[in-house]
Amino acid sequence: MSDSPPVRYRILPVQPDAHLFEVACTVADPAPRGQAFSLPAWIPGSYMVRDFARNVVWLRAACDGRPVSVEKTDKQTWRCAPCDGPLTLTYEVYAGELSVRAAHLDTTHGYFNGTGVFILPDGREGRECVVDILPPPGEAYRDWRVATAMATDGARPHGFGSYRAGDYEELVDHPVEMGRFSLAGFEACGVPHEVAITGRHRADMDRLCKDLTRICEHQVRLFGEPAPMGRYLFLVMAVGEGYGGLEHRASTSLICCREDLPRASEAKVGEGYRRFLGLCSHEYFHTWNVKRIRPAAFTPYDLSRETHTRLLWAFEGITSYYDELILTRTGLIPPESYLELLGRTATRVWRGSGRFKQSLTESSFDAWTKFYKQDENAPNAIVSYYAKGALVALALDLTLRRHTAGGCSLDDVMRLLWQRYGRTGVGVPEDGVEAIAAEVAGVSLQGFFDQALRGTQDLPLADLLGDVGVSFQLRPTESQEDKGGKPAADIEAGPRPTLGLRATADAGGARVTHVFDGGAAQVAGLSAGDLVVAVDGIRADNQNLEKRIASYPVGARVQVHVFRRDELTALEAELRAAPADTCVLSLVPAVDEATEARRKAWLGG
Ligand code: ZN
């Protein structure tokens, strides 16, 4: 510890009805030639430039009560004139975005990530930070509480008051919720955990805590006790429609559909609750994989601009593989349910011809401008480092088990990554994951990784899954709602004709959102943005378009009327057979003993 004075912050939800936080930042010993301050351009875990400084409404500086002149020097940096004595910057932040990455304040609650509200004094990244979190003014907010994993510095548990962080990076890694949330707690491997849910809901908190305990304990034991965090907080925002999460070192922020939360009356894990538990499991796994086992490129984070790494497949893909696998390993869902989820992941990959054009390392590197800025051509141009990354993790796991006759698995790779990088704080070099995997395998995995990460061929999943008695099959999609993972509802159906597009409901027709490479629509000249209004002279909309097309044989020529902008156009499309791009994974019945043993070792139970 140095004797340098801490950077002091004060955050006040000054006007909840106008969505405004007032923030003050005080530096006791400003730089003699003038102190600069800046806000981050992005938030770790979400690889897109968001320019948080755009939400600063006004800003002023003062030294011992006297105004100090401030000049803005770029989109996110302010420079103060030289002054003697403590310098305080006071500014107002508009908090109008309800998302896990931003800040939101209204009369029902307040939420913020430090990246959006706490300005960093230049050169003080390593200083201790002390934060006063104040309640909104007025009687109406007297029952508000605070939920955060930040260490208190005098504030009572869940109270307003003083909190502290060891440095700026830690400060902005503890999101804060304030309001009237429901709160429950549990212990996992000796570590206290809490769940705080904001928003109207009817969740069975006991059930939730019981199920989360299993997930958390499994993960702590996977990496090895003791857990790296002294406490952990699940911050949940329950809404009507929404899904997403962001990982932090000792907490996660989640947004979910309130219907996905468990009900007291429900014994089994339904589809919605399965999705929610998968999200919790995903973000919790990041406590190790990306928050502590970190790419060298993020050690430390440069929050002022894009930071590229070819490793996002490992941090998001491996995490996406384990999140659902752990649900079945802990017995929360049966293997069949897990294989359905895995089949859906594979379907997401197989449905895009972009997988033949972009490799996983390219997808990782270009996350900032491609994955996070997807347009209508995305399925034809890119591959997801989440979905394909999860499949590579699966393929790697099964390959390691095969090479070592079941002696080693991806679990060993994760443990070694944790020992070598996570515990030491050394960043993972760009070839670090491949090297650790080869070390665990005891043989070179160069060929595997060249194909899986730098190549664009499909992964040999059918072959690898055979080792664990799981069949991998492809079939044509049945409808726009068909997410894959399950056998066809109508197994008698012959080849299904398709236009090769996706659409959404719009007034007067079906609005084309995506046109797939090589499909009938693309060949006919349909374009994303077109409004399909008729097929062969009969009105069409998003509800009946698929049914109308299905009534023709493959190879039939149909006239499609579309509005492109405001111009009515007639196009002729020759219907093609729907491609076999939907994956179904199932347990092969009555496998031999050795296969059964390998399956058990993989899925648990
Ligand atoms: Zn993630």
Side-chain angles (χ1 to χ4, degrees):
M1 283 303 273
S2 76
D3 294 332
S4 312
V7 179
R8 293 189 172 271
Y9 294 90
R10 195 191 60 140
I11 181 159
L12 168 71
V14 65
Q15 245 188 298
D17 45 5
H19 321 291
L20 294 170
F21 282 109
E22 187 185 286
V23 188
C25 171
T26 300
V27 182
D29 52 346
R33 292 168 145 193
Q35 180 68 49
F37 296 83
S38 60
L39 271 167
W42 59 285
I43 179 167
S46 183
Y47 307 107
M48 188 165 107
V49 168
R50 295 181 189 277
D51 288 332
F52 296 112
R54 72 195 157 85
N55 295 319
V56 173
V57 180
W58 55 257
L59 178 149
R60 62 172 178 256
C63 177
D64 278 337
R66 292 182 309 277
V68 171
S69 69
V70 193
E71 186 190 20
K72 202 154 180 203
T73 56
D74 67 28
K75 64 177 179 178
Q76 59 204 7
T77 310
W78 290 260
R79 182 173 289 281
C80 296
C83 64
D84 273 331
L87 173 65
T88 298
L89 222 58
T90 307
Y91 50 99
E92 209 166 65
V93 178
Y94 177 71
E97 186 189 328
L98 186 59
S99 95
V100 297
R101 311 168 206 103
H104 187 256
L105 174 66
D106 66 14
T107 54
T108 67
H109 87 129
Y111 170 82
F112 63 82
N113 283 288
T115 40
V117 296
F118 295 135
I119 204 160
L120 168 67
D122 202 17
R124 314 299 159 106
E125 295 82 357
R127 286 272 179 100
E128 195 189 7
C129 302
V130 176
V131 191
D132 268 327
I133 303 176
L134 304 177
E139 284 298 302
Y141 306 104
R142 281 197 51 168
D143 57 346
W144 276 28
R145 295 189 290 174
V146 174
T148 179
M150 207 185 310
T152 66
D153 188 42
R156 285 192 299 188
H158 311 116
F160 288 93
S162 193
Y163 289 79
R164 71 188 151 75
D167 56 23
Y168 183 80
E169 202 179 286
E170 184 188 332
L171 172 73
V172 301
D173 203 16
H174 291 299
V176 175
E177 171 73 25
M178 53 177 81
R180 303 174 189 100
F181 41 79
S182 18
L183 194 65
F186 61 94
E187 219 171 79
C189 296
V191 178
H193 288 61
E194 280 187 329
V195 186
I197 307 184
T198 302
R200 293 181 193 179
H201 70 90
R202 293 187 291 137
D204 177 350
M205 300 295 274
D206 290 343
R207 163 88 185 275
L208 184 55
C209 286
K210 233 174 68 200
D211 293 344
L212 286 177
T213 305
R214 284 157 79 170
I215 293 170
C216 297
E217 289 191 336
H218 182 92
Q219 295 195 15
V220 171
R221 288 180 188 133
L222 191 153
F223 285 98
E225 292 188 70
M229 64 295 190
R231 56 181 295 205
Y232 193 86
L233 170 67
F234 290 91
L235 271 182
V236 185
M237 178 83 203
V239 295
E241 215 39 77
Y243 177 85
L246 196 63
E247 66 275 11
H248 299 283
R249 68 184 63 191
S251 60
T252 177
S253 288
L254 310 172
I255 194 155
C256 75
C257 173
R258 66 172 61 87
E259 306 303 328
D260 287 358
L261 296 169
R263 295 280 164 67
S265 53
E266 278 171 340
K268 67 179 197 102
V269 176
E271 182 159 346
Y273 187 37
R274 182 177 71 174
R275 178 168 49 236
F276 180 72
L277 288 177
L279 180 63
C280 292
S281 178
H282 180 97
E283 305 305 344
Y284 196 76
F285 198 84
H286 276 315
T287 310
W288 293 266
N289 197 34
V290 94
K291 294 314 300 187
R292 289 175 176 83
I293 304 166
R294 255 204 247 185
F298 295 168
T299 315
Y301 291 112
D302 177 356
L303 298 179
S304 69
R305 70 183 84 142
E306 294 94 332
T307 306
H308 300 281
T309 169
R310 290 182 174 79
L311 283 174
L312 290 185
W313 71 268
F315 295 100
E316 291 304 342
I318 294 177
T319 302
S320 297
Y321 169 57
Y322 274 105
D323 57 15
E324 291 166 348
L325 178 61
I326 284 166
L327 299 188
T328 192
R329 280 190 178 172
T330 51
L332 287 163
I333 61 171
E336 291 81 0
S337 174
Y338 169 62
L339 291 180
E340 181 192 358
L341 292 170
L342 194 54
R344 287 184 179 189
T345 302
T347 300
R348 290 211 300 278
V349 175
W350 255 264
R351 288 221 176 130
S353 63
R355 73 188 194 279
F356 298 128
K357 298 165 196 166
Q358 191 189 44
S359 70
L360 261 192
T361 51
E362 289 167 340
S363 176
S364 299
F365 193 87
D366 284 329
W368 301 82
T369 46
K370 294 196 171 188
F371 187 78
Y372 268 92
K373 295 188 177 177
Q374 293 186 33
D375 61 16
E376 64 285 352
N377 196 44
N380 299 328
I382 69 169
V383 70
S384 162
Y385 53 82
Y386 283 85
K388 188 177 172 187
L391 298 186
V392 168
L394 165 71
L396 178 58
D397 195 6
L398 296 175
T399 298
L400 290 166
R401 289 168 192 272
R402 184 183 280 186
H403 274 308
T404 62
C408 289
S409 72
L410 192 58
D411 295 1
D412 299 286
V413 173
M414 298 319 293
R415 277 191 280 273
L416 194 52
L417 281 168
W418 166 242
Q419 293 299 331
R420 192 125 346 134
Y421 298 108
R423 287 185 60 171
T424 61
V426 175
V428 182
E430 293 288 283
D431 62 355
V433 178
E434 291 175 57
I436 293 268
E439 194 176 324
V440 166
V443 295
S444 167
L445 294 173
Q446 189 72 35
F448 173 87
F449 284 120
D450 282 345
Q451 184 193 348
L453 303 182
R454 288 169 284 276
T456 55
Q457 286 170 285
D458 283 335
L459 299 161
L461 292 187
D463 171 45
L464 289 166
L465 284 164
D467 288 4
V468 287
V470 170
S471 76
F472 176 94
Q473 279 158 332
L474 292 164
R475 62 165 175 81
T477 177
E478 295 199 294
S479 71
Q480 281 205 112
E481 278 69 52
D482 182 2
K483 296 187 186 125
K486 278 182 185 165
D490 182 3
I491 49 169
E492 301 289 304
R496 203 177 72 86
T498 175
L499 273 172
L501 56 76
R502 282 190 83 81
T504 55
D506 203 341
R511 182 73 66 186
V512 179
T513 55
H514 301 86
V515 173
F516 298 123
D517 262 356
Q522 194 184 60
V523 175
L526 267 93
S527 168
D530 287 350
L531 184 72
V532 176
V533 294
V535 172
D536 276 346
I538 309 284
R539 189 152 75 189
D541 59 23
N542 196 46
Q543 285 264 310
N544 66 18
L545 181 61
E546 286 193 314
K547 245 191 214 148
R548 294 289 319 285
I549 294 299
S551 68
Y552 292 89
V554 170
R557 304 180 75 83
V558 297
Q559 194 184 44
V560 183
H561 274 98
V562 305
F563 274 107
R564 177 161 308 168
R565 300 178 294 276
D566 57 355
E567 298 172 8
L568 184 65
T569 308
L571 300 163
E572 196 180 61
E574 186 181 324
L575 301 181
R576 301 193 167 184
D581 60 3
T582 302
C583 309
V584 182
L585 274 64
S586 29
L587 294 172
V588 177
V591 290
D592 60 56
E593 235 170 78
T595 306
E596 180 69 44
R598 284 194 294 270
R599 188 194 279 168
K600 267 205 173 135
W602 174 49
L603 293 178

